[in-house]
C-alpha cells in the first residue's frame, strides 16, 4: 500500500487498515477526489481549488443505508445544443420566404451541429456514486469514470 497522507493516518483507529485506495481525476471545475476503503469504513477526501480548501467525509459500512450509481448527460453540451438549434430557427423561417441557398446551408449547419452536440452529451455521460448514510441529510457524492465507481461500489457492497 502506498504511503497515506497525514490527515488520513490521523483519523484511522488502531485496528483499522486501508485495504484499497482510488485516485479519482475530476473534470474542469470539479474537485479531485481520493477514496480510501478500509476494513471499517469508506473515506472520501476532496481537494478543491486553493480558495475552496479540502473536505473529508467518512462513513462506517454499517451506517450506509444505500448506494446509487447514477448517470446523466452532460448538461453544458445539451445547453450548447439548445442554443445552436434555437439559433437556426430564423434561418429556417427565411428559407420559407426565399429560395436563397445560403440560408438553407446555415440552417442545416446549425441544426446538425445542435443534434451532434445532443448525441455527444448522451454518449459521454457523467457518472456519480451517491452514498447515503444514517444521520446525514445529503449523500456523499463521488464523481469519476464508470469503471472506478463500479470498483468502489463492489468493494463497499462486499464490506457492507
Amino acid at each position: 500500500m502506498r504511503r497515506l497522507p497525514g490527515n488520513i493516518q490521523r483519523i484511522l483507529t488502531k485496528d483499522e487498515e486501508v485495504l484499497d485506495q482510488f485516485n479519482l481525476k475530476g473534470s474542469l471545475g470539479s474537485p479531485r477526489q481520493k477514496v480510501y476503503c478500509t476494513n471499517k469504513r469508506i473515506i472520501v477526501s476532496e481537494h478543491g481549488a486553493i480558495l475552496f480548501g479540502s473536505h473529508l467525509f467518512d462513513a462506517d459500512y454499517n451506517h450506509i443505508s444505500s448506494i446509487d450509481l447514477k448517470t446523466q448527460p452532460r448538461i453544458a453540451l445539451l445547453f450548447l445544443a439548445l442554443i445552436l438549434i434555437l439559433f437556426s430557427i430564423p434561418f429556417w423561417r427565411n428559407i420559407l420566404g426565399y429560395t436563397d441557398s445560403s440560408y438553407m446551408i446555415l440552417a442545416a449547419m446549425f441544426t446538425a451541429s445542435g443534434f451532434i452536440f445532443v448525441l455527444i452529451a448522451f454518449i459521454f455521460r457523467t457518472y456519480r456514486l451517491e452514498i447515503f448514510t444514517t444521520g446525514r441529510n445529503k449523500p456523499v457524492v463521488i464523481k469519476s469514470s464508470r469503471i472506478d465507481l463500479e470498483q468502489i461500489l463492489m468493494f463497499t457492497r462486499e464490506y457492507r
Side-chain angles (χ1 to χ4, degrees):
M1 183 59 56
R2 289 178 248 163
R3 185 168 160 79
L4 297 173
N7 61 342
I8 301 299
Q9 287 179 345
R10 280 192 297 276
I11 65 170
L12 294 178
T13 60
K14 275 193 279 185
D15 58 341
E16 187 175 22
E17 63 180 285
V18 174
L19 302 175
D20 206 351
Q21 83 181 52
F22 302 90
N23 295 318
L24 309 177
K25 296 179 176 112
S27 61
L28 292 175
S30 68
R32 206 172 117 218
Q33 296 175 316
K34 291 184 179 183
V35 178
Y36 303 91
C37 297
T38 74
N39 54 335
K40 294 184 175 187
R41 61 185 163 164
I42 185 168
I43 303 168
V44 180
S45 174
E46 282 188 358
H47 300 284
I50 294 171
L51 297 175
F52 299 112
S54 63
H55 295 74
L56 198 63
F57 304 100
D58 71 324
D60 289 349
Y61 293 123
N62 56 356
H63 291 160
I64 295 174
S65 57
S66 67
I67 304 169
D68 293 336
L69 179 60
K70 293 190 173 184
T71 180
Q72 71 179 37
R74 296 193 179 265
I75 303 300
L77 290 177
L78 287 176
F79 182 71
L80 182 61
L82 177 67
I83 289 172
L84 286 170
I85 292 171
L86 289 175
F87 191 71
S88 72
I89 291 173
F91 295 112
W92 285 113
R93 291 182 70 204
N94 285 335
I95 290 171
L96 299 176
Y98 304 101
T99 57
D100 190 0
S101 64
S102 63
Y103 285 119
M104 183 176 281
I105 291 170
L106 285 172
M109 182 180 71
F110 283 117
T111 305
S113 298
F115 284 113
I116 288 170
F117 277 109
V118 168
L119 286 174
I120 291 171
F122 280 96
I123 291 171
F124 297 105
R125 297 173 175 265
T126 58
Y127 295 93
R128 61 192 228 171
L129 190 67
E130 293 182 350
I131 301 173
F132 295 89
T133 60
T134 55
R136 175 180 236 123
N137 294 337
K138 293 182 180 179
V140 174
V141 177
I142 304 170
K143 297 177 183 177
S144 186
S145 69
R146 182 179 185 142
I147 295 168
D148 287 339
L149 294 179
E150 284 177 347
Q151 287 178 344
I152 295 169
L153 178 65
M154 288 183 347
F155 191 93
T156 306
R157 284 190 174 157
E158 180 181 324
Y159 276 88
R160 213 172 107 204

